[in-house]
Amino acid sequence: LRKRLLTTAAVVAAGVLAYGLFTGDEGGIDVTAADEDRGYYVTHATLTEFGPDGSPRVVLHAESIEQRLSDQSVLLSDLKLDYTTAKAGQWTVTADRGLMPAAATALLLSGDVRVTGEQARGGAVIRTDQLSYDTGTSVIQTAEPVSVQVGAHQLEGRGLRVVLNDGTLRLESNV
């Protein structure tokens, strides 16, 4: 997923840049960035990964996506990730910031992180300050304090592990 997101973002950035060169419109890409460490920079981005059946599986919306050349990491701001599974339905993850390290398969989220699942018992909402989303296994986890609301019931604890494909959730401690 990481390579697909990076490739898609790079292709979109190159296309918008080429369009901007031909029309004189920069189209949301900062081509005059003072930061020489920047690879690409895209604003108001939407990246979509399709499942085997051709329907969207993962849709990422971000206010900005920026590649850092020094370590090949990707920074995201004001992001929303929609994830659909056949077994557990639709999940939406939002955060103020995201970081995808170059060699990792995880997206590290921080700042008002919220995970919402549309499930049978009134839905589930998870809130925390930091969260890791493993794009390969579709597992989210944190060691930070969390608040979990399922329907009318609310739990608080420290540490969490959710397998999105299965719809399973485990609070680690201090529940």
Side-chain angles (χ1 to χ4, degrees):
L1 174 63
R2 181 186 181 288
K3 287 182 181 180
R4 289 181 192 149
L5 288 175
L6 288 175
T7 302
T8 304
V11 169
V12 168
V16 172
L17 179 59
Y19 175 78
L21 291 174
F22 290 120
T23 64
D25 181 336
E26 293 179 6
I29 295 183
D30 184 3
V31 294
T32 60
D35 186 359
E36 295 176 4
D37 187 40
R38 182 181 290 164
Y40 57 82
Y41 183 85
V42 182
T43 60
H44 310 292
T46 299
L47 305 173
T48 305
E49 177 183 319
F50 294 93
D53 63 353
S55 63
R57 188 178 80 80
V58 178
V59 179
L60 172 71
H61 305 277
E63 182 62 30
S64 68
I65 300 175
E66 176 181 339
Q67 179 194 33
R68 294 309 215 165
L69 292 176
S70 62
D71 61 1
Q72 296 297 308
S73 64
V74 177
L75 305 173
L76 303 102
S77 70
D78 193 19
L79 62 104
K80 176 183 173 192
L81 185 119
D82 294 319
Y83 181 79
T84 305
T85 69
K87 189 173 182 181
Q90 176 79 27
W91 289 88
T92 300
V93 181
T94 60
D96 293 339
R97 294 170 301 285
L99 169 67
M100 184 169 282
T105 63
L107 180 61
L108 308 173
L109 305 173
S110 62
D112 193 25
V113 181
R114 178 183 274 197
V115 180
T116 306
E118 297 176 9
Q119 297 179 343
R121 293 177 219 149
V125 178
I126 301 165
R127 291 184 181 98
T128 187
D129 287 329
Q130 294 180 350
L131 188 72
S132 171
Y133 169 62
D134 188 312
T135 59
T137 62
S138 298
V139 171
I140 61 172
Q141 56 189 359
T142 185
E144 299 298 316
V146 295
S147 169
V148 178
Q149 184 171 350
V150 179
H153 307 285
Q154 183 163 339
L155 293 171
E156 293 185 4
R158 177 173 283 280
L160 169 90
R161 180 178 168 86
V162 178
V163 181
L164 294 175
N165 289 336
D166 296 339
T168 59
L169 178 144
R170 182 179 74 209
L171 288 171
E172 300 293 334
S173 65
N174 296 337
V175 178

